[in-house]
């Protein structure tokens, strides 16, 4: 057994693919998420090297209690994959729903830092570990309607850079994975709350898929222990960062 991994948001999409890939790579995986029935399906497929745990990472009390709730042989988490996250809505800031903003911040920022803070001390004690967070190209490149979602992913990128600074002098690694357009997950369905609109996002494109993200993480964790990949930004070839937008007819008032 190569070690113990904890993957948040493993009920679908990236987390599901990451859990499957890392079990195949020889790791034991603690798969967490809100839908326990989905996690049990994954365990039925992968066997006893996957441990399903129901967890909402926006519940700070549950996150803090998680290490003690694990069986002793599962508590030494070697790799933490902060995958759980979401986007809500594409409205411009002046029209956005504050509850959507709060949910994104509580999950993408607060939940992620609480998970990291909960499992980092054990890594420090063992002087061994790897924290991987799923960011987004939205954290670097703005687009209309990304407002708070993009802001949360920019936070993830900067948090991971600063985490690497704090970990200097240890053998603990920290990596931000920042994908662009990626299909085959529930991301757009959750964001738009409309399956037809979600499908239209990927129409006539060849996007990344969750297995691409899982493959990337498999590579990152397989590198020699002295190698730290700070950040990987990845897009499908059908996507690139857009040029500067110009609104015609707007100027001096």
């Amino acid at each position: 057994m190569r070690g113990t991994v904890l993957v948040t948001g493993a009920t679908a999409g990236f987390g599901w693919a990451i859990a499957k890939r890392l079990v195949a790579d020889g790791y034991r995986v603690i798969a967490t998420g809100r839908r326990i029935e989905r996690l049990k399906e994954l365990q039925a497929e992968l066997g006893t090297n996957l441990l399903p745990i129901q967890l909402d990472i926006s519940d700070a009390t549950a996150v803090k209690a998680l290490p003690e709730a694990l069986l002793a042989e599962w508590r030494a988490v070697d790799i933490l994959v902060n995958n759980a996250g979401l986007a809500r809505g594409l409205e411009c800031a002046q029209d956005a729903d504050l509850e959507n903003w709060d949910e994104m911040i509580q999950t993408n920022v607060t939940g992620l830092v609480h998970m990291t803070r909960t499992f980092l001390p054990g890594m420090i004690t063992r002087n061994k570990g790897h924290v991987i967070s799923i960011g987004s190209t939205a954290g670097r490149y703005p687009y209309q309607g990304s407002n708070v979602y993009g802001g949360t992913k920019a936070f993830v990128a900067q948090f991971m850079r600063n985490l690497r600074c704090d970990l200097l002098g240890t053998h603990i690694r920290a990596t931000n994975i920042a994908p662009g357009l990626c299909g085959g997950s529930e991301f757009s369905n959750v964001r738009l709350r409309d399956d037809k609109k979600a499908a239209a996002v990927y129409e006539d494109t060849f996007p990344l898929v969750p297995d691409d993200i899982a493959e990337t993480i498999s590579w990152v964790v397989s590198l020699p222990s002295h190698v730290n990949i700070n950040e990987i930004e990845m897009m499908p070839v059908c996507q690139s960062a857009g040029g500067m937008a110009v609104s015609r007819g707007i100027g001096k008032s």
Side-chain angles (χ1 to χ4, degrees):
M1 190 57 56
R2 297 177 65 180
T4 301
V5 182
L6 192 155
V7 181
T8 64
T11 57
F14 292 1
W16 183 279
I18 293 164
K20 288 182 67 173
R21 177 54 189 264
L22 294 183
V23 167
D25 286 348
Y27 291 94
R28 295 192 311 174
V29 174
I30 304 165
T32 75
R34 290 178 293 180
R35 294 174 290 178
I36 189 63
E37 69 283 356
R38 287 283 292 161
L39 299 175
K40 288 181 177 178
E41 287 177 31
L42 194 56
Q43 184 187 42
E45 178 181 346
L46 300 178
T48 57
N49 283 332
L50 184 126
L51 177 67
I53 297 287
Q54 188 170 33
L55 178 71
D56 180 348
I57 66 163
S58 67
D59 182 341
T61 301
V63 169
K64 187 176 181 180
L66 180 56
E68 291 300 317
L70 295 171
L71 295 173
E73 60 267 29
W74 289 86
R75 288 180 189 170
V77 171
D78 301 295
I79 302 169
L80 170 64
V81 182
N82 286 314
N83 165 72
L86 79 167
R88 288 288 195 192
L90 264 175
E91 297 82 9
C92 290
Q94 61 270 27
D95 301 315
D97 185 330
L98 278 173
E99 290 186 1
N100 287 343
W101 281 9
D102 287 343
E103 185 179 9
M104 287 186 281
I105 292 167
Q106 288 164 3
T107 304
N108 302 355
V109 175
T110 306
L112 183 146
V113 300
H114 282 203
M115 286 296 298
T116 303
R117 181 60 180 82
T118 294
F119 287 94
L120 198 57
M123 294 182 184
I124 294 291
T125 298
R126 297 184 298 274
N127 199 20
K128 176 186 177 184
H130 197 159
V131 179
I132 299 172
S133 292
I134 304 297
S136 172
T137 54
R140 176 170 292 174
Y141 307 111
Y143 59 88
Q144 193 172 65
S146 182
N147 41 68
V148 166
Y149 174 69
T152 64
K153 293 303 185 177
F155 173 88
V156 171
Q158 190 62 24
F159 175 69
M160 295 304 290
R161 293 185 193 111
N162 281 294
L163 185 60
R164 181 79 278 279
C165 290
D166 290 346
L167 294 171
L168 186 64
T170 75
H171 289 117
I172 301 163
R173 302 189 285 185
T175 303
N176 177 40
I177 307 290
L181 184 70
C182 192
S185 75
E186 298 175 344
F187 176 83
S188 290
N189 306 76
V190 170
R191 183 175 213 171
L192 302 174
R193 294 185 169 97
D194 185 308
D195 290 348
K196 287 187 177 180
K197 289 181 180 179
V201 172
Y202 310 102
E203 188 174 345
D204 296 326
T205 71
F206 198 135
L208 302 174
V209 294
D211 283 346
D212 297 324
I213 312 307
E215 172 75 19
T216 303
I217 289 177
S218 175
W219 173 74
V220 166
V221 301
S222 73
L223 293 171
S225 61
H226 70 284
V227 178
N228 189 85
I229 301 298
N230 297 330
E231 184 172 20
I232 293 179
E233 179 183 293
M234 51 195 297
M235 292 181 177
V237 295
C238 66
Q239 183 185 32
S240 71
M244 298 295 288
V246 176
S247 179
R248 306 293 176 182
I250 299 295
K252 187 175 181 180
S253 59

